[in-house]
Amino acid sequence: MKLWKKTMVLGLCLPALALSACSSGSGGGKAAGDPTAPEAPKQISNDPVTLTIYYYGGDLTDEEFQTYFVKPVGQKYPHITLNLVRNAPGTKLEDLVATGASPDLIYSPKGYMEDFFSLNIVQDLDSYVREQKMDLGRFENVTIDSLRSYAPKFKLAALPFSYNSSALFYNKDIFDKFGVAYPVDKMTWDDVIELGKRVSRKDGDVFYKAIYPSLLTQFASQLAVSYTDPKTGAPALDQDSWKKAATTFKQLYDLPENRTTKLNNFFVERDVAMYAGVTTYTFGQVKELASKGTPLNWDLVSYPNYAETRGQLMALDSLVLIMTSASKHKDQVFRVMDVVTSTDSQLALSKVGRLPALKDPKLKEEFGSSNPALQGKNVKALFLNTPPIQNMGPYDLEVARLLNSIQAKLTNGEEDVNTFLRNASEQAKLKIAEKKSTGG
């Protein structure tokens, strides 16, 4: 079966804002000669307008775009039409920018923000938040704090739409086959390794393997690793945190017959017992499998920890909304951002199994309630840990992409941890020098 396109590097959703006053002149005005009265709301045109939303990555189907964007925006602002353009050959973002066809709004994982900074198309949202009196305190603190971390260049570079949590998913059939107890919440990576040994067995012609632990960059993010030195921009892969992450990552791949394990082994071949990964992608996969009559007998527990990271997930991987500086309709774009991060919109998001960016506990209570694939599952495990903030420097994304491209040298036993990190650091220096030479 064809798996959904997975975009990873590397997050909850937003509260609603009442912007109805922005389109009318009634109420809220400052009385003549009264310096203490509130400022009159900014008048925004209600002329028909079409806005382009660019999908750069993350999971968003056409159906979800209609549900979370087109319908709620159309109900509140019928004069606003939304058009979705996907990142694909012929519609690459850099080409659209170069030809003057920049989108109005970008939907993307937060981890790719540096791509947009390098194109010089990010609009700071601070003035719009202040003008429209958006209450950022209604957001989960970590989602806003991670976006504030781009200061002083930007006071607020984007708004969170949702976030991608992480968990340890497992195939119950494999554990049942060998009579091994299921994983439990709050396990350590040492616990997972020992459990993996117990389910690594051959049965007939099939060798059942322990785990697919995702990408090294995701795996290491729990330790909030740095890719580069923030002062010099030099690679920082010689840190103890990188050595710790790479060592444990290699130990997982060194479990019996586990070196060739891929994501398909968990969802399709079903010969891998566990998968340490992200929620949005996984929930989409299990829903698709069930709809095709090939359901996976699965459940989940909280993301495993090191002793020093108890209570943490993978680093925050939020899906964000970025207003472009080239948009000619910025006030209308902010209206869209307000609607799709409203309580009602975020409740719909939470019910199907996407983690909203709002603090409202009711949204957590309703999480997954309308998704048949999540009924009876241990979804409370997703709220036992919190994600650390992993600040990304201007060259970190290049280093992360490099590590993802060469991680097989570590996982297949070609290089030991020290050799892998040393060679990766040398290659990273070249990548950073190349980016600097091109003005990146």
Side-chain angles (χ1 to χ4, degrees):
M1 89 182 301
K2 183 177 180 181
L3 292 176
W4 291 4
K5 180 180 179 182
K6 181 181 182 186
T7 307
M8 294 183 172
V9 174
L10 330 194
L12 287 179
C13 278
L14 266 153
L17 249 219
L19 290 184
S20 55
C22 299
S23 58
S24 69
S26 62
K30 179 183 287 189
D34 182 3
T36 64
E39 292 287 343
K42 181 179 180 179
Q43 298 300 305
I44 300 175
S45 171
N46 285 332
D47 292 340
V49 63
T50 297
L51 303 177
T52 298
I53 299 179
Y54 190 85
Y55 169 91
Y56 196 74
D59 294 308
L60 185 71
T61 66
D62 290 343
E63 179 183 1
E64 288 171 331
F65 176 65
Q66 291 293 321
T67 301
Y68 304 136
F69 287 83
V70 175
K71 290 180 181 178
V73 171
Q75 288 174 357
K76 188 164 185 178
Y77 300 114
H79 63 287
I80 297 179
T81 300
L82 301 180
N83 177 44
L84 182 67
V85 175
R86 293 188 179 274
N87 185 0
T91 55
K92 292 295 183 182
L93 184 59
E94 55 268 34
D95 295 334
L96 296 180
V97 172
T99 59
S102 296
D104 299 284
L105 186 65
I106 299 171
Y107 172 100
S108 170
K110 171 183 170 285
Y112 293 128
M113 289 294 292
E114 286 297 335
D115 285 347
F116 313 130
F117 294 149
S118 65
L119 290 172
N120 197 30
I121 58 170
V122 177
Q123 173 65 49
D124 197 315
L125 298 176
D126 184 67
S127 63
Y128 295 90
V129 169
R130 287 188 284 102
E131 286 174 1
Q132 304 307 329
K133 297 179 173 58
M134 177 177 276
D135 181 11
L136 297 181
R138 298 165 66 191
F139 291 90
E140 287 285 347
N141 291 344
V142 68
T143 63
I144 294 296
D145 289 346
S146 69
L147 292 166
R148 290 285 197 197
S149 69
Y150 290 111
K153 185 175 182 180
F154 293 92
K155 291 184 177 180
L156 186 63
L159 286 179
F161 173 73
S162 67
Y163 79 86
N164 217 346
S165 188
S166 50
L168 181 68
F169 304 93
Y170 62 95
N171 184 325
K172 298 172 74 172
D173 288 340
I174 295 177
F175 285 88
D176 291 342
K177 178 186 288 289
F178 299 126
V180 177
Y182 297 148
V184 296
D185 289 328
K186 300 185 179 181
M187 295 175 68
T188 66
W189 286 114
D190 288 340
D191 294 333
V192 172
I193 290 171
E194 291 305 311
L195 188 58
K197 292 176 182 177
R198 298 182 64 194
V199 292
S200 299
R201 306 187 196 177
K202 187 173 184 180
D203 184 69
D205 294 330
V206 179
F207 194 100
Y208 291 91
K209 298 172 279 291
I211 185 171
Y212 176 71
S214 298
L215 298 170
L216 174 60
T217 50
Q218 292 175 293
F219 186 84
S221 73
Q222 185 181 55
L223 295 167
V225 292
S226 298
Y227 291 89
T228 59
D229 184 302
K231 294 181 179 180
T232 66
L237 303 181
D238 58 349
Q239 296 177 337
D240 289 342
S241 55
W242 270 113
K243 293 177 182 178
K244 187 177 188 67
T247 297
T248 306
F249 193 68
K250 188 175 189 303
Q251 287 175 331
L252 292 168
Y253 270 100
D254 283 346
L255 288 167
E257 302 293 329
N258 207 61
R259 287 183 173 178
T260 60
T261 298
K262 305 295 182 186
L263 190 59
N264 269 14
N265 290 99
F266 185 78
F267 291 108
V268 182
E269 282 82 1
R270 303 187 185 182
D271 58 359
V272 166
M274 296 174 284
Y275 161 49
V278 294
T279 52
T280 303
Y281 176 79
T282 302
F283 293 162
Q285 284 299 293
V286 297
K287 180 180 179 180
E288 182 181 345
L289 291 169
S291 70
K292 293 186 175 181
T294 56
L296 180 68
N297 187 17
W298 69 284
D299 210 333
L300 73 155
V301 295
S302 60
Y303 194 74
N305 293 119
Y306 297 99
E308 62 269 39
T309 62
R310 289 189 183 277
Q312 292 187 178
L313 301 162
M314 289 182 186
L316 181 69
D317 177 25
S318 54
L319 292 161
V320 298
L321 304 171
I322 302 113
M323 182 192 295
T324 67
S325 56
S327 175
K328 295 179 174 62
H329 310 285
K330 294 185 177 69
D331 289 322
Q332 289 83 353
V333 171
F334 195 76
R335 280 181 166 183
V336 171
M337 299 172 82
D338 169 58
V339 170
V340 301
T341 58
S342 69
T343 300
D344 288 344
S345 295
Q346 293 296 296
L347 178 59
L349 199 74
S350 185
K351 284 183 175 181
V352 300
R354 280 178 174 257
L355 287 159
L358 300 186
K359 289 179 179 178
D360 192 338
K362 293 180 181 179
L363 301 183
K364 295 184 176 69
E365 292 171 6
E366 292 291 331
F367 182 82
S369 61
S370 66
N371 187 341
L374 300 184
Q375 302 312 301
K377 305 304 180 186
N378 182 32
V379 294
K380 66 178 178 59
L382 300 176
F383 305 106
L384 296 177
N385 297 335
T386 55
I389 296 175
Q390 182 181 26
N391 293 322
M392 300 289 283
Y395 308 112
D396 287 20
L397 187 54
E398 290 297 320
V399 180
R401 285 168 169 160
L402 168 68
L403 287 171
N404 290 339
S405 71
I406 65 174
Q407 77 167 37
K409 293 183 178 181
L410 176 69
T411 59
N412 66 16
E414 182 179 342
E415 295 179 348
D416 61 31
V417 169
N418 290 331
T419 302
F420 174 78
L421 292 176
R422 183 173 60 253
N423 290 341
S425 184
E426 291 302 316
Q427 293 180 58
K429 289 178 183 177
L430 297 176
K431 287 283 186 181
I432 292 169
E434 179 181 353
K435 189 172 179 65
K436 287 181 176 179
S437 70
T438 58

